Each structure stands twice: as C-alpha cells, then as structure tokens.
Amino acid sequence: MEVEPEQTFIMIKPDGVQRGLVAEIIARFERKGFTLRGLKLQNVQQSFAEKHYEDLSSKPFFRGLVQYIVSGPVVAMVWEGKGVVSTGRTIIGATNPAQSAPGTIRGDYAIDIGRNVIHGSDSVESAKKEIHLWFPEGIVQWTSSLHSWINEQ
C-alpha cells in the first residue's frame, strides 16, 4: 500500500509580498527539496480570512489578524515532501520573530508577531483543512526529475 505524500499549506502574508520576499521564500522550500503543488497570488476577502483563522476567533488579536490578512495580496502555496509540515515550520521559525533562530524566515525577515511574513500549517490535519479551503479546485500533480536525487526510494 502506497502512502500518500505529506503536504502543507504555506501563505506569504501581505508584509512578505509587499517587501518582495516571495522569490526568497519559494527558493528556501525548493532548495530543501520540497515540491510545489499549488501557487496563487490573491486578495483575501474578510469572510474568507475569518474562515481561515476560525480556530483563533476567540482570541483578542483575531480582528487585527483578519484585518492584516485582507490588507494586501497574499501568496498561497501547497508544498509536498517527506516531513514537510514539521520541516516547513522549522524553515519558517517561531511565531514570535524575537524567538526565531537566525536562518529561519522569521528570524531573518521579521521583528513583530503582527508582521511575521508567513503562515505555515501546524499539523497534517490543519494542512489538509487549509489546502481544501484555499485550493478547492485541486493542486497540480507532477513528478520532478530531481525527486530520486532528493528522496530515497
């Protein structure tokens, strides 16, 4: 029985897009060896942002977070690979940039929690939910010619 490859949802937030960090962030995931399965630049409507962050709706920062996400375009992505959820979180760094290690995206490019450049799924379950929400049309299935050079068979 073949195991379905792990996928994660990554979103470059409005500050990351405005600051021109899209290519750098994509490059970090590509250099690690993950496969890009979906990508789109979009403006987020308030109701959609509220649905995305519904698990945080009782938090005092919820309204501000929603307003931040709708303030400019975001880049929504689906990445695939072995351990991509946990490794992706490591590449991203801690939610609080002050606690993010140098070399992580937030450690290198963010100062404030409220402008922390990027979102990444925190579990395989939340990744499935977020991918379904952001990519209802599905994602692209393809195999990179580099796959066998990155992954053991």
mmCIF file of all heavy atoms in Angstrom, residues 11 13-16 19 53 56 59-62 64-66 68-69 89 92-100 106-107 109-119:
data_model
loop_
_atom_site.group_PDB
_atom_site.id
_atom_site.type_symbol
_atom_site.label_atom_id
_atom_site.label_comp_id
_atom_site.label_asym_id
_atom_site.label_seq_id
_atom_site.Cartn_x
_atom_site.Cartn_y
_atom_site.Cartn_z
ATOM 1 N N MET A 11 1.469 30.276 3.423
ATOM 2 C CA MET A 11 0.971 31.543 2.899
ATOM 3 C C MET A 11 1.972 32.650 3.220
ATOM 4 O O MET A 11 2.327 32.858 4.380
ATOM 5 C CB MET A 11 -0.381 31.900 3.529
ATOM 6 C CG MET A 11 -0.874 33.284 3.132
ATOM 7 S SD MET A 11 -2.494 33.749 3.832
ATOM 8 C CE MET A 11 -2.298 33.436 5.569
ATOM 9 N N LYS A 13 2.328 36.261 3.799
ATOM 10 C CA LYS A 13 1.370 37.274 4.227
ATOM 11 C C LYS A 13 1.621 38.604 3.515
ATOM 12 O O LYS A 13 2.651 38.778 2.842
ATOM 13 C CB LYS A 13 1.461 37.437 5.745
ATOM 14 C CG LYS A 13 1.063 36.165 6.504
ATOM 15 C CD LYS A 13 1.238 36.367 8.005
ATOM 16 C CE LYS A 13 0.871 35.125 8.790
ATOM 17 N NZ LYS A 13 1.063 35.329 10.241
ATOM 18 N N PRO A 14 0.695 39.557 3.655
ATOM 19 C CA PRO A 14 0.832 40.822 2.930
ATOM 20 C C PRO A 14 2.171 41.528 3.124
ATOM 21 O O PRO A 14 2.709 42.099 2.166
ATOM 22 C CB PRO A 14 -0.325 41.673 3.477
ATOM 23 C CG PRO A 14 -1.374 40.667 3.828
ATOM 24 C CD PRO A 14 -0.589 39.499 4.382
ATOM 25 N N ASP A 15 2.739 41.478 4.333
ATOM 26 C CA ASP A 15 4.024 42.156 4.525
ATOM 27 C C ASP A 15 5.132 41.479 3.734
ATOM 28 O O ASP A 15 6.008 42.144 3.176
ATOM 29 C CB ASP A 15 4.380 42.267 6.009
ATOM 30 C CG ASP A 15 4.454 40.933 6.730
ATOM 31 O OD1 ASP A 15 3.612 40.052 6.463
ATOM 32 O OD2 ASP A 15 5.348 40.757 7.583
ATOM 33 N N GLY A 16 5.100 40.146 3.632
ATOM 34 C CA GLY A 16 6.100 39.426 2.847
ATOM 35 C C GLY A 16 5.991 39.717 1.368
ATOM 36 O O GLY A 16 7.001 39.875 0.666
ATOM 37 N N ARG A 19 7.123 43.380 0.721
ATOM 38 C CA ARG A 19 8.571 43.540 0.883
ATOM 39 C C ARG A 19 9.381 42.795 -0.181
ATOM 40 O O ARG A 19 10.610 42.832 -0.157
ATOM 41 C CB ARG A 19 8.983 43.075 2.279
ATOM 42 C CG ARG A 19 8.421 43.982 3.371
ATOM 43 C CD ARG A 19 8.715 43.457 4.749
ATOM 44 N NE ARG A 19 10.148 43.303 4.947
ATOM 45 C CZ ARG A 19 10.693 42.548 5.897
ATOM 46 N NH1 ARG A 19 9.918 41.881 6.746
ATOM 47 N NH2 ARG A 19 11.995 42.450 6.017
ATOM 48 N N TYR A 53 -8.947 31.621 9.796
ATOM 49 C CA TYR A 53 -8.489 31.771 11.181
ATOM 50 C C TYR A 53 -9.574 31.476 12.214
ATOM 51 O O TYR A 53 -9.466 31.899 13.356
ATOM 52 C CB TYR A 53 -7.950 33.187 11.398
ATOM 53 C CG TYR A 53 -6.601 33.418 10.758
ATOM 54 C CD1 TYR A 53 -6.446 34.371 9.756
ATOM 55 C CD2 TYR A 53 -5.483 32.705 11.165
ATOM 56 C CE1 TYR A 53 -5.201 34.595 9.170
ATOM 57 C CE2 TYR A 53 -4.243 32.923 10.581
ATOM 58 C CZ TYR A 53 -4.114 33.866 9.591
ATOM 59 O OH TYR A 53 -2.883 34.078 9.019
ATOM 60 N N LEU A 56 -8.977 30.700 15.822
ATOM 61 C CA LEU A 56 -8.459 31.777 16.670
ATOM 62 C C LEU A 56 -9.518 32.836 16.970
ATOM 63 O O LEU A 56 -9.208 33.875 17.559
ATOM 64 C CB LEU A 56 -7.252 32.443 15.990
ATOM 65 C CG LEU A 56 -6.071 31.531 15.665
ATOM 66 C CD1 LEU A 56 -5.034 32.280 14.844
ATOM 67 C CD2 LEU A 56 -5.461 30.963 16.936
ATOM 68 N N LYS A 59 -9.741 34.630 20.326
ATOM 69 C CA LYS A 59 -8.539 35.331 20.809
ATOM 70 C C LYS A 59 -8.701 36.839 20.643
ATOM 71 O O LYS A 59 -9.337 37.311 19.701
ATOM 72 C CB LYS A 59 -7.298 34.861 20.032
ATOM 73 C CG LYS A 59 -7.052 33.371 20.102
ATOM 74 C CD LYS A 59 -6.562 32.965 21.456
ATOM 75 C CE LYS A 59 -6.183 31.493 21.461
ATOM 76 N NZ LYS A 59 -5.850 31.003 22.755
ATOM 77 N N PRO A 60 -8.095 37.612 21.541
ATOM 78 C CA PRO A 60 -8.227 39.075 21.458
ATOM 79 C C PRO A 60 -7.590 39.678 20.202
ATOM 80 O O PRO A 60 -7.988 40.754 19.765
ATOM 81 C CB PRO A 60 -7.532 39.578 22.721
ATOM 82 C CG PRO A 60 -6.726 38.442 23.233
ATOM 83 C CD PRO A 60 -7.330 37.184 22.703
ATOM 84 N N PHE A 61 -6.656 38.995 19.591
ATOM 85 C CA PHE A 61 -5.977 39.515 18.408
ATOM 86 C C PHE A 61 -6.639 39.117 17.092
ATOM 87 O O PHE A 61 -6.177 39.493 16.014
ATOM 88 C CB PHE A 61 -4.502 39.061 18.388
ATOM 89 C CG PHE A 61 -4.315 37.570 18.431
ATOM 90 C CD1 PHE A 61 -4.396 36.808 17.271
ATOM 91 C CD2 PHE A 61 -4.049 36.928 19.634
ATOM 92 C CE1 PHE A 61 -4.225 35.435 17.305
ATOM 93 C CE2 PHE A 61 -3.868 35.554 19.678
ATOM 94 C CZ PHE A 61 -3.947 34.803 18.509
ATOM 95 N N PHE A 62 -7.758 38.379 17.151
ATOM 96 C CA PHE A 62 -8.418 37.846 15.957
ATOM 97 C C PHE A 62 -8.773 38.948 14.953
ATOM 98 O O PHE A 62 -8.448 38.852 13.768
ATOM 99 C CB PHE A 62 -9.664 37.052 16.343
ATOM 100 C CG PHE A 62 -10.464 36.543 15.177
ATOM 101 C CD1 PHE A 62 -9.995 35.498 14.399
ATOM 102 C CD2 PHE A 62 -11.697 37.104 14.858
ATOM 103 C CE1 PHE A 62 -10.730 35.012 13.321
ATOM 104 C CE2 PHE A 62 -12.435 36.623 13.784
ATOM 105 C CZ PHE A 62 -11.949 35.583 13.017
ATOM 106 N N GLY A 64 -7.644 41.990 14.549
ATOM 107 C CA GLY A 64 -6.450 42.588 13.963
ATOM 108 C C GLY A 64 -5.782 41.671 12.954
ATOM 109 O O GLY A 64 -5.294 42.120 11.904
ATOM 110 N N LEU A 65 -5.768 40.386 13.242
ATOM 111 C CA LEU A 65 -5.183 39.404 12.335
ATOM 112 C C LEU A 65 -5.956 39.346 11.022
ATOM 113 O O LEU A 65 -5.363 39.358 9.934
ATOM 114 C CB LEU A 65 -5.160 38.026 13.009
ATOM 115 C CG LEU A 65 -4.577 36.868 12.214
ATOM 116 C CD1 LEU A 65 -3.136 37.131 11.811
ATOM 117 C CD2 LEU A 65 -4.685 35.585 13.030
ATOM 118 N N VAL A 66 -7.266 39.325 11.115
ATOM 119 C CA VAL A 66 -8.101 39.301 9.915
ATOM 120 C C VAL A 66 -7.868 40.574 9.091
ATOM 121 O O VAL A 66 -7.684 40.509 7.866
ATOM 122 C CB VAL A 66 -9.599 39.129 10.278
ATOM 123 C CG1 VAL A 66 -10.497 39.394 9.077
ATOM 124 C CG2 VAL A 66 -9.840 37.724 10.838
ATOM 125 N N TYR A 68 -5.275 42.464 8.995
ATOM 126 C CA TYR A 68 -3.931 42.386 8.432
ATOM 127 C C TYR A 68 -3.909 41.511 7.178
ATOM 128 O O TYR A 68 -3.346 41.896 6.145
ATOM 129 C CB TYR A 68 -2.993 41.854 9.517
ATOM 130 C CG TYR A 68 -1.681 41.295 9.072
ATOM 131 C CD1 TYR A 68 -0.803 42.019 8.275
ATOM 132 C CD2 TYR A 68 -1.274 40.032 9.495
ATOM 133 C CE1 TYR A 68 0.413 41.499 7.900
ATOM 134 C CE2 TYR A 68 -0.057 39.504 9.132
ATOM 135 C CZ TYR A 68 0.784 40.243 8.326
ATOM 136 O OH TYR A 68 1.987 39.722 7.965
ATOM 137 N N ILE A 69 -4.544 40.367 7.212
ATOM 138 C CA ILE A 69 -4.518 39.440 6.082
ATOM 139 C C ILE A 69 -5.274 40.002 4.874
ATOM 140 O O ILE A 69 -4.919 39.724 3.738
ATOM 141 C CB ILE A 69 -5.065 38.052 6.498
ATOM 142 C CG1 ILE A 69 -4.114 37.388 7.502
ATOM 143 C CG2 ILE A 69 -5.299 37.140 5.294
ATOM 144 C CD1 ILE A 69 -2.685 37.212 7.013
ATOM 145 N N ARG A 89 7.703 24.197 9.265
ATOM 146 C CA ARG A 89 7.624 25.042 10.466
ATOM 147 C C ARG A 89 9.031 25.425 10.940
ATOM 148 O O ARG A 89 9.247 26.532 11.423
ATOM 149 C CB ARG A 89 6.870 24.315 11.579
ATOM 150 C CG ARG A 89 5.421 24.004 11.260
ATOM 151 C CD ARG A 89 4.517 25.169 11.306
ATOM 152 N NE ARG A 89 4.380 25.668 12.668
ATOM 153 C CZ ARG A 89 3.605 26.681 13.014
ATOM 154 N NH1 ARG A 89 2.898 27.302 12.100
ATOM 155 N NH2 ARG A 89 3.525 27.078 14.253
ATOM 156 N N ILE A 92 10.300 28.148 8.657
ATOM 157 C CA ILE A 92 9.584 29.396 8.945
ATOM 158 C C ILE A 92 10.106 30.056 10.218
ATOM 159 O O ILE A 92 10.325 31.256 10.259
ATOM 160 C CB ILE A 92 8.073 29.130 9.061
ATOM 161 C CG1 ILE A 92 7.498 28.799 7.686
ATOM 162 C CG2 ILE A 92 7.341 30.308 9.702
ATOM 163 C CD1 ILE A 92 6.077 28.267 7.723
ATOM 164 N N GLY A 93 10.282 29.280 11.287
ATOM 165 C CA GLY A 93 10.704 29.834 12.580
ATOM 166 C C GLY A 93 9.522 30.035 13.508
ATOM 167 O O GLY A 93 8.369 29.867 13.129
ATOM 168 N N ALA A 94 9.821 30.403 14.735
ATOM 169 C CA ALA A 94 8.802 30.600 15.769
ATOM 170 C C ALA A 94 7.846 31.728 15.388
ATOM 171 O O ALA A 94 8.223 32.672 14.700
ATOM 172 C CB ALA A 94 9.460 30.898 17.108
ATOM 173 N N THR A 95 6.594 31.613 15.868
ATOM 174 C CA THR A 95 5.580 32.636 15.596
ATOM 175 C C THR A 95 6.073 34.021 16.001
ATOM 176 O O THR A 95 5.871 34.996 15.282
ATOM 177 C CB THR A 95 4.271 32.298 16.343
ATOM 178 O OG1 THR A 95 3.822 31.010 15.908
ATOM 179 C CG2 THR A 95 3.190 33.321 16.065
ATOM 180 N N ASN A 96 6.722 34.099 17.149
ATOM 181 C CA ASN A 96 7.312 35.352 17.607
ATOM 182 C C ASN A 96 8.702 35.484 16.990
ATOM 183 O O ASN A 96 9.608 34.733 17.348
ATOM 184 C CB ASN A 96 7.413 35.372 19.131
ATOM 185 C CG ASN A 96 7.949 36.685 19.654
ATOM 186 O OD1 ASN A 96 8.495 37.493 18.904
ATOM 187 N ND2 ASN A 96 7.802 36.894 20.942
ATOM 188 N N PRO A 97 8.885 36.419 16.062
ATOM 189 C CA PRO A 97 10.184 36.555 15.400
ATOM 190 C C PRO A 97 11.356 36.738 16.370
ATOM 191 O O PRO A 97 12.468 36.309 16.068
ATOM 192 C CB PRO A 97 10.002 37.791 14.516
ATOM 193 C CG PRO A 97 8.539 37.846 14.266
ATOM 194 C CD PRO A 97 7.905 37.365 15.545
ATOM 195 N N ALA A 98 11.105 37.334 17.532
ATOM 196 C CA ALA A 98 12.177 37.525 18.517
ATOM 197 C C ALA A 98 12.694 36.187 19.046
ATOM 198 O O ALA A 98 13.809 36.104 19.563
ATOM 199 C CB ALA A 98 11.689 38.391 19.672
ATOM 200 N N GLN A 99 11.884 35.142 18.920
ATOM 201 C CA GLN A 99 12.277 33.806 19.371
ATOM 202 C C GLN A 99 12.687 32.907 18.204
ATOM 203 O O GLN A 99 12.959 31.729 18.400
ATOM 204 C CB GLN A 99 11.125 33.161 20.144
ATOM 205 C CG GLN A 99 10.756 33.914 21.392
ATOM 206 C CD GLN A 99 9.445 33.446 22.003
ATOM 207 O OE1 GLN A 99 8.705 32.660 21.422
ATOM 208 N NE2 GLN A 99 9.159 33.947 23.188
ATOM 209 N N SER A 100 12.721 33.452 17.000
ATOM 210 C CA SER A 100 13.081 32.684 15.814
ATOM 211 C C SER A 100 14.593 32.710 15.610
ATOM 212 O O SER A 100 15.220 33.762 15.683
ATOM 213 C CB SER A 100 12.408 33.262 14.570
ATOM 214 O OG SER A 100 11.024 33.048 14.621
ATOM 215 N N ARG A 106 11.373 33.889 9.583
ATOM 216 C CA ARG A 106 11.008 34.927 10.555
ATOM 217 C C ARG A 106 12.229 35.460 11.289
ATOM 218 O O ARG A 106 12.288 36.644 11.622
ATOM 219 C CB ARG A 106 9.975 34.396 11.537
ATOM 220 C CG ARG A 106 8.617 34.191 10.885
ATOM 221 C CD ARG A 106 7.637 33.573 11.839
ATOM 222 N NE ARG A 106 6.308 33.452 11.263
ATOM 223 C CZ ARG A 106 5.423 32.555 11.640
ATOM 224 N NH1 ARG A 106 5.709 31.683 12.598
ATOM 225 N NH2 ARG A 106 4.234 32.507 11.071
ATOM 226 N N GLY A 107 13.209 34.613 11.543
ATOM 227 C CA GLY A 107 14.438 35.062 12.197
ATOM 228 C C GLY A 107 15.222 36.042 11.344
ATOM 229 O O GLY A 107 15.883 36.939 11.858
ATOM 230 N N TYR A 109 13.736 37.887 8.628
ATOM 231 C CA TYR A 109 12.959 38.948 7.982
ATOM 232 C C TYR A 109 11.861 39.589 8.818
ATOM 233 O O TYR A 109 11.133 40.429 8.306
ATOM 234 C CB TYR A 109 12.323 38.417 6.692
ATOM 235 C CG TYR A 109 13.340 37.944 5.691
ATOM 236 C CD1 TYR A 109 13.424 36.603 5.335
ATOM 237 C CD2 TYR A 109 14.247 38.832 5.118
ATOM 238 C CE1 TYR A 109 14.363 36.159 4.428
ATOM 239 C CE2 TYR A 109 15.190 38.401 4.209
ATOM 240 C CZ TYR A 109 15.252 37.062 3.863
ATOM 241 O OH TYR A 109 16.182 36.632 2.970
ATOM 242 N N ALA A 110 11.692 39.189 10.072
ATOM 243 C CA ALA A 110 10.578 39.746 10.840
ATOM 244 C C ALA A 110 11.042 40.241 12.206
ATOM 245 O O ALA A 110 12.017 39.730 12.764
ATOM 246 C CB ALA A 110 9.479 38.697 11.000
ATOM 247 N N ILE A 111 10.306 41.196 12.746
ATOM 248 C CA ILE A 111 10.579 41.767 14.068
ATOM 249 C C ILE A 111 9.371 41.591 14.976
ATOM 250 O O ILE A 111 9.508 41.200 16.120
ATOM 251 C CB ILE A 111 10.961 43.264 13.951
ATOM 252 C CG1 ILE A 111 12.274 43.400 13.169
ATOM 253 C CG2 ILE A 111 11.072 43.900 15.328
ATOM 254 C CD1 ILE A 111 12.641 44.831 12.819
ATOM 255 N N ASP A 112 8.168 41.888 14.458
ATOM 256 C CA ASP A 112 6.941 41.854 15.253
ATOM 257 C C ASP A 112 6.086 40.635 14.934
ATOM 258 O O ASP A 112 6.006 40.215 13.772
ATOM 259 C CB ASP A 112 6.087 43.099 14.982
ATOM 260 C CG ASP A 112 6.691 44.368 15.550
ATOM 261 O OD1 ASP A 112 7.314 44.293 16.625
ATOM 262 O OD2 ASP A 112 6.529 45.421 14.916
ATOM 263 N N ILE A 113 5.397 40.108 15.941
ATOM 264 C CA ILE A 113 4.473 38.992 15.737
ATOM 265 C C ILE A 113 3.407 39.374 14.714
ATOM 266 O O ILE A 113 3.032 38.574 13.871
ATOM 267 C CB ILE A 113 3.804 38.550 17.060
ATOM 268 C CG1 ILE A 113 4.823 37.924 17.986
ATOM 269 C CG2 ILE A 113 2.660 37.580 16.798
ATOM 270 C CD1 ILE A 113 4.274 37.550 19.359
ATOM 271 N N GLY A 114 2.933 40.603 14.793
ATOM 272 C CA GLY A 114 1.867 41.069 13.911
ATOM 273 C C GLY A 114 2.292 41.295 12.479
ATOM 274 O O GLY A 114 1.460 41.558 11.608
ATOM 275 N N ARG A 115 3.574 41.181 12.196
ATOM 276 C CA ARG A 115 4.109 41.304 10.836
ATOM 277 C C ARG A 115 5.183 40.228 10.673
ATOM 278 O O ARG A 115 6.346 40.524 10.464
ATOM 279 C CB ARG A 115 4.700 42.698 10.585
ATOM 280 C CG ARG A 115 3.711 43.844 10.681
ATOM 281 C CD ARG A 115 2.697 43.809 9.533
ATOM 282 N NE ARG A 115 1.767 44.919 9.582
ATOM 283 C CZ ARG A 115 0.588 44.881 10.200
ATOM 284 N NH1 ARG A 115 0.211 43.816 10.878
ATOM 285 N NH2 ARG A 115 -0.214 45.921 10.175
ATOM 286 N N ASN A 116 4.756 38.970 10.768
ATOM 287 C CA ASN A 116 5.739 37.887 10.785
ATOM 288 C C ASN A 116 5.892 37.151 9.454
ATOM 289 O O ASN A 116 6.355 36.023 9.409
ATOM 290 C CB ASN A 116 5.493 36.925 11.946
ATOM 291 C CG ASN A 116 4.187 36.171 11.841
ATOM 292 O OD1 ASN A 116 3.478 36.250 10.847
ATOM 293 N ND2 ASN A 116 3.868 35.432 12.882
ATOM 294 N N VAL A 117 5.496 37.788 8.366
ATOM 295 C CA VAL A 117 5.820 37.428 6.989
ATOM 296 C C VAL A 117 5.099 36.204 6.417
ATOM 297 O O VAL A 117 4.745 36.192 5.250
ATOM 298 C CB VAL A 117 7.358 37.250 6.807
ATOM 299 C CG1 VAL A 117 7.726 36.834 5.400
ATOM 300 C CG2 VAL A 117 8.107 38.504 7.217
ATOM 301 N N ILE A 118 4.877 35.162 7.220
ATOM 302 C CA ILE A 118 4.490 33.879 6.636
ATOM 303 C C ILE A 118 3.625 33.059 7.589
ATOM 304 O O ILE A 118 3.763 33.172 8.805
ATOM 305 C CB ILE A 118 5.758 33.099 6.237
ATOM 306 C CG1 ILE A 118 5.441 31.859 5.407
ATOM 307 C CG2 ILE A 118 6.629 32.787 7.437
ATOM 308 C CD1 ILE A 118 6.673 31.241 4.742
ATOM 309 N N HIS A 119 2.761 32.251 7.014
ATOM 310 C CA HIS A 119 1.952 31.287 7.769
ATOM 311 C C HIS A 119 2.279 29.900 7.245
ATOM 312 O O HIS A 119 2.460 29.713 6.040
ATOM 313 C CB HIS A 119 0.459 31.554 7.553
ATOM 314 C CG HIS A 119 -0.416 30.405 7.964
ATOM 315 N ND1 HIS A 119 -0.848 30.241 9.258
ATOM 316 C CD2 HIS A 119 -0.903 29.353 7.253
ATOM 317 C CE1 HIS A 119 -1.580 29.131 9.322
ATOM 318 N NE2 HIS A 119 -1.629 28.583 8.119
#
